[in-house]
Structure formats: C-alpha cells, structure tokens
C-alpha cells in the first residue's frame, strides 16, 4: 500500500479481520478521524502482536520493541522496520509485517501525534516484557495499563482537539483506557496465569479488588464521554465503554463474555441513545 487513497478499503479490511468489536465504532467517525484512529489502531495492534507473541522470548521482545520505539522518533522507513523484525518476521501476522503501511496510511496532520504515542507505547511494552508482566503493586498496574491503553486515551484527546477543537481532561482520558484494559485483564486472568505464567493483579488483591479498579476507571470514562460535543466521537467512545460495562456485569454473574445478540443489541442501543440527543 503506497498511497493514502488506498487506505480505507485495505486498512479497514485488516482492521475488521483483526478486531470486529473495534471496527464497528471506528465506522461511526468522520473521515479524518476514521483514518487517524484506524491507522493508529493497526500500528498499535502491530506492536501488541509482538508483545503478546507466544514463540518470541521476552528478551527478544524487549530488544525489538525498544528499537521500534526509537524508530517512531525518526523518519520511519520500511527498510529500517524490516531490518528490526528480520529475526522474527516468519512468526509475525500480517498486521505486524505491514506496520509501515499503517504509518503511511495515517493522515499527515495526525501522523506526528500517532508516532509519538506509538513510540511511548512500544517503550512501555518493552519495559513490561522484560519484567515478564509481573505486577506487584497498584502503581505497577497503573503503569502497565497506562502504556498499553491509557496512552490511547491521550491520543484520542489530541485527535479531538486537532479535528474540531475539543478540549478534554487527560486524567479522564487515561482512565478511559485503563478501564477498558482492566476489563480485558479480568476476562483473561485465568488464561494469563495458567498459560502464560503472568499476573496483572497486584499482590494481596482479590478478584473483587480488580473489579473495583475497573469500575473506578470506567467511572472516569463515563465522565470523559460526558464532556464530548461531537456526535461521531460520542458514538465512537460510547460503544466500547458500553461493551466494557456489560462485560463486567456478565463476568460478575460468572459468564465469560457477552453473547453475539447482546453485542448487536448494544450497538443498536448506543445508536438510538446518541441519535436522540
């Protein structure tokens, strides 16, 4: 993919294949924001696939992600990126192999913001890979959830200001990201412990404590969305937040996740709610 005009069809295909639940809210956004968010999601998913890869050692992940973090601070070339991932390229999925394409797809006006945030995310992922994701304190949990999700809230806030002058509270924006990530941690807690040997739960915390952490941050997310004035961004933010709230309720009842029918119902409810305002 060499030209931005190829972005919508090609990148949206990969986005839909990678995460349908994130693909849906992105389609609500107007074009400049849609392209900026979709390309950033693919860039961040590309580095996340490196962090999560089961066959790549933590030391190698650290080295790769630190190099990618530095590359984001420079003129990002395909040749330089391919040199970095050469040792593991046969193991990586399409979204990671094509990271350069996603960088190029990002609108020029928002690309510097995306590069800065992606560099910060890659740095944080590298740091936590080296620690084998062993969270021991609430401060550790805050640090981890900031790098893997809170920075996304920061990026979105910068985008809203860039696109239509919306000013937002960054603490609430970070809470938005942390809340969504905390729900993911709860959903994957058993798998992370038994299959990966990692724990994102601070020492001495019960599962109820983790639920409380998620709920506290989702309250910040609710407050964050209440400050938004652009209808398309409200719809974009509201949908994953509703998914998070309902997933939390489902897990408290002992269910693993929302049903497909519940997902579809939630999409319709959010559309009706926003349209009525």
């Amino acid at each position: 993919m060499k030209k931005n005009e190829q972005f919508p069809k090609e990148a949206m295909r990969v986005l839909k294949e990678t995460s349908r639940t994130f693909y849906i809210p992105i389609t609500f956004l107007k074009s400049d924001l849609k392209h900026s968010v979709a390309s950033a999601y693919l860039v961040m998913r590309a580095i996340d696939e490196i962090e999560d890869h089961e066959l790549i050692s933590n030391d190698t992940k650290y080295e790769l992600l630190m190099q990618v973090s530095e590359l984001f601070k420079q003129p990002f070339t395909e040749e330089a990126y391919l040199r970095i991932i050469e040792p593991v390229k046969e193991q990586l999925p399409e979204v990671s192999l094509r990271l350069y394409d996603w960088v190029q797809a990002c609108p020029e006006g928002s690309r510097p913001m995306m590069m800065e945030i992606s560099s910060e995310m890659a740095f944080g992922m590298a740091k936590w890979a080296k620690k084998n994701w062993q969270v021991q304190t609430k401060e550790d949990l805050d640090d981890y959830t900031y790098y893997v999700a809170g920075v996304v809230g920061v990026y979105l806030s910068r985008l809203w200001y860039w696109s239509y002058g919306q000013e937002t509270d960054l603490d609430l924006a970070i809470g938005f990201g942390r809340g969504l990530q905390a729900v993911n941690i709860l959903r994957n807690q058993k798998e992370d412990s038994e299959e990966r040997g990692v724990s994102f739960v601070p020492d001495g915390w019960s599962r109820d404590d983790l639920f409380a952490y998620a709920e506290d941050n989702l309250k910040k997310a609710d407050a964050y969305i209440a400050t938004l004035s652009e209808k398309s961004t409200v719809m974009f933010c509201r949908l994953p937040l509703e998914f998070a709230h309902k997933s939390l309720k489902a897990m408290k009842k002992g269910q693993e996740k929302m049903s497909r029918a519940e997902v579809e119902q939630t999409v319709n409810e959010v559309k009706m709610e926003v349209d009525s305002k």
Side-chain angles (χ1 to χ4, degrees), residues 45-57:
R45 183 59 181 260
I47 58 178
D48 182 64
E49 290 287 349
I50 295 174
E51 183 206 19
D52 284 345
H53 205 290
E54 296 178 357
L55 301 179
I56 301 175
S57 71

Side-chain angles (χ1 to χ4, degrees), residues 43-53 56-73 81 84-85 88 96 99 118-130 133 148:
V43 167
M44 294 173 186
R45 183 59 181 260
I47 58 178
D48 182 64
E49 290 287 349
I50 295 174
E51 183 206 19
D52 284 345
H53 205 290
I56 301 175
S57 71
N58 287 353
D59 286 342
T60 299
K61 289 177 181 180
Y62 173 80
E63 294 297 332
L64 294 176
L65 290 167
M66 287 298 287
Q67 290 179 63
V68 171
S69 176
E70 289 302 311
L71 186 58
F72 279 124
K73 300 176 184 178
Y81 176 66
I84 290 172
I85 65 168
V88 297
S96 297
L99 190 151
S118 298
S119 176
E120 189 174 9
M121 177 181 279
F123 170 82
M125 286 181 171
K127 180 176 74 170
W128 279 99
K130 199 171 187 66
W133 306 278
V148 299

Side-chain angles (χ1 to χ4, degrees), residues 25 40 64 90 96 149-150 198 227 229 242 275:
L64 294 176
E90 298 301 325
S96 297
V198 300
T227 68
S229 60
E242 285 303 308
D275 286 341

Side-chain angles (χ1 to χ4, degrees), residues 2 6 9 28 47-48 58 72 77 87 100 111 126-127 130 137 145 167 172 175 184 187 190 193 223 248 254:
K2 301 300 181 183
Q6 291 179 304
K9 182 178 179 180
F28 296 155
I47 58 178
D48 182 64
N58 287 353
F72 279 124
T77 67
Y100 173 77
R111 193 180 302 165
K127 180 176 74 170
K130 199 171 187 66
T137 65
T145 54
E167 294 186 353
L172 298 181
N184 287 336
R187 183 185 296 117
K190 183 177 180 181
S193 176
L248 214 56

Side-chain angles (χ1 to χ4, degrees), residues 29 66 84 98 124 142-143 163 170-171 174 181 186 213 241 247 263 267:
L29 294 169
M66 287 298 287
I84 290 172
R98 299 184 61 185
D142 280 342
D143 188 78
S163 180
L170 287 185
D171 180 64
I174 292 168
Q181 186 63 30
L186 280 159
Y213 179 85
L241 181 55
S247 293
V263 170
V267 172

Side-chain angles (χ1 to χ4, degrees), residues 145-165:
T145 54
Y146 170 75
Y147 280 117
V148 299
V151 292
V152 179
V154 174
Y155 175 64
L156 293 177
S157 285
R158 291 180 182 177
L159 280 183
W160 310 153
Y161 186 77
W162 165 73
S163 180
Y164 64 100

